[in-house]
Amino acid sequence: VAMVVIKRNGYRSNPEWASCSLGVFICLACSGIHRNIQEISKVKSVGLSHWEDQELEFMAKNGNEPTKKIYEATVPVYYYKPNHKDCQVLREQWIRAKYERKEFSEAGRNLIYEEGTRDGMLMKRGRDNGQFLNRRFVLSEREGTLKYFTKFDAKDPKAVIKVDTINATFKPEKIGNPNGLQITYLKAYSTRNIFVYHDSSKEIVDWFNSIRAVQLHYLKVAFPGATDAELVPKLTRNFLKEGYMEKTGPRQTEGFKKRWFTLDHRRLMYFKDPLDAFAKGEVFLGNKDHGYQIFPGLPSGTHHNGSWQHGITIKTPERCFLFTCETEEDQESWMKHFSDVMSAPMSPQEFASKYSELHFNCLLHL
């Protein structure tokens, strides 16, 4: 009977779980989160549980779309709405924000993300020793910055980060903490990584969405004619891909060395260790119409001493970069992401960033 309710409501997929108290169908991963808020959500199996007549009637009257209009009525455009691919902490806090705290059910509600400033302690990984220590972070909408201090009462910050250069993405497995957040920003045209966490999953997600709120405010001031739809993609983003590849040096005669790679839109960064503060190098991936190309395999005559055989060649206007992958599946995945990036048109900001970086690198070598 529950399956009849699903078809009557027009669901294309076949969800196996539902919250009979909220009137929504949910996936397996989210069902576990709903079970942890039993005072709000009562979870049942669509095919295996016994359903009372009144429960079926309630599901038939409601459903995901009508319920969404109630609990997601006023979700701010900057708030990150996770999907099934996102980590547990994001999905859990999204569900709790909607159904437990009812943050988005009433218009005009004061949200913690929109206070214009945020001041608190986060556990930050040390750049050199790898130890996580308590550090004070201050986010300011008025200044457009995120600062952190080595001591709570320190007068001068250790770093002042402009919000328009920030990216933040949850990396629990890499950081080794379920609430692990990676913050990256540009420092002298190089990407700097900061790894932080908080014991409270709500606290770390609140920081994440507060950063997005401040970023959106900054962008609206910088681009007053732009729409929300144009600005939201410029907020924090997930990395396109991460993983190990081998690479050789610019002369292509050096040995291939295993490196950790991160593809963040047009920046392909490589690190000796996934938790390094700075990349050992970066490759800018421009548009294919401007001399950027990708080929499977390595050029003939390449000195290859590595154990990985599935090669990738990236050609830029400056040089060629050679990589090898452990499996053919990895090779195909990396090449697809590279191809997608090179097929996308470049924005004026990306052109400016690229040529500023080239100018900076030229000054370094004078």
Side-chain angles (χ1 to χ4, degrees), residues 71-129:
Y71 290 99
E72 299 182 31
T74 62
V75 180
V77 294
Y78 61 78
Y79 192 98
Y80 184 83
K81 296 196 287 187
N83 58 45
H84 67 283
K85 294 182 180 180
D86 283 303
C87 62
Q88 172 87 1
V89 65
L90 276 172
R91 288 185 287 108
E92 177 186 349
Q93 288 307 311
W94 166 237
I95 290 170
R96 289 186 179 276
K98 284 196 298 180
Y99 301 124
E100 187 178 48
R101 299 192 292 270
K102 298 181 181 179
E103 293 184 8
F104 316 121
S105 300
E106 301 175 8
R109 181 169 178 172
N110 294 325
L111 297 176
I112 193 171
Y113 327 106
E114 299 174 357
E115 293 180 350
T117 184
R118 189 173 186 87
D119 189 329
M121 305 297 288
L122 296 174
M123 297 297 290
K124 175 189 170 293
R125 187 179 189 271
R127 185 184 68 179
D128 300 320
N129 59 21

Side-chain angles (χ1 to χ4, degrees), residues 52-70:
E52 302 291 342
D53 290 343
Q54 62 268 27
E55 292 173 337
L56 291 173
E57 292 174 5
F58 184 75
M59 294 295 297
K61 289 180 181 178
N62 292 278
N64 289 45
E65 287 305 316
T67 304
K68 180 179 179 180
K69 292 179 181 178
I70 297 173

